[in-house]
Every structure is written in C-alpha cells, then in structure tokens.
Amino acid sequence: MASDDAKDGYAIMVDRLLRNTEAHVMPAEERLVLRTLAGHADEAGRCFPSIPTLAGECGLSEERTRKALRALEGKGWCYVSNANRFKADGGRTSDERTLTPGTGQWWAKGE
C-alpha cells in the first residue's frame, strides 16, 4: 500500500495537469472521477476502488460513474490493467485501473 505522501503526490500531479492544460475542457463528471481515482492511486498510479465506492465519493449514480470511466479510458487517462479480479471465495471484486495522466489523446496531439 502506498504512503499518504505518495498518494497525495499522485493526486497533486493529476490536479496540476487538469489545471494547467487543455484538459479544462473535460466534462466535470470525468474530472471528478479522475481526481477521485487519483486519490486512491498508489505511487505507480494503480487503484482498485469499486464502482459503488467511486459513485458514492463522487456523488454520482453508478451508471454515470461507469460512463465517466469509459470516457476517461477512451481518452487515454486510465486503463483497466487487471480485469476479472476475484475474491478468495470466487466472488468478483473491483477492477484494477492504472492512471496514465499526460498520455491522453488531447496531450499526445498537442491540443
């Protein structure tokens, strides 16, 4: 598990990228979900929050949270790095997502 300093560092980096780039045109729900993911990320950008957890922390419905995640994935801000994670009893658990700030399509195109 990442230290609080490492987690804070990742959240600060994402926040600065969002404030200092063309990402300010990103829809508010996507920015909110991205910042919330960053708050859960370890020093490598990996995080495991469930959809219900993200939705609750963002104040969004689960469907709107899923929609924002799909949009972030499509824009290159994050990707599902380990789907199909399971608990010891065989039940499904949350996906592992890896944040990739600065590699999104808008950044790569220099927009």
Side-chain angles (χ1 to χ4, degrees):
M1 173 156 288
S3 71
D4 286 339
D5 289 341
K7 284 184 154 187
D8 289 346
Y10 212 90
I12 289 168
M13 178 181 69
V14 167
D15 187 60
R16 286 182 181 157
L17 280 169
L18 288 171
R19 283 187 288 121
N20 297 321
T21 67
E22 295 298 318
H24 67 274
V25 299
M26 180 186 289
E29 288 180 352
E30 292 173 27
R31 285 194 313 265
L32 179 59
V33 170
L34 181 60
R35 284 186 167 128
T36 304
L37 284 172
H40 285 275
D42 64 14
E43 62 276 355
R46 292 182 311 254
C47 53
F48 309 90
S50 67
I51 298 295
T53 295
L54 282 174
E57 290 179 5
C58 293
L60 300 172
S61 69
E62 290 183 19
E63 183 52 37
R64 291 180 82 131
T65 302
R66 283 187 193 92
K67 182 179 177 183
L69 285 169
R70 285 190 302 268
L72 291 169
E73 291 163 8
K75 293 175 182 177
W77 279 94
C78 66
Y79 64 93
V80 176
S81 47
N82 187 1
N84 304 318
R85 293 179 58 227
F86 296 94
K87 300 176 187 175
D89 66 5
R92 183 115 162 47
T93 187
S94 61
D95 291 337
E96 175 184 318
R97 286 188 167 73
T98 300
L99 300 178
T100 54
T103 62
Q105 294 170 358
W106 60 271
W107 181 277
K109 292 178 183 176
E111 294 177 354

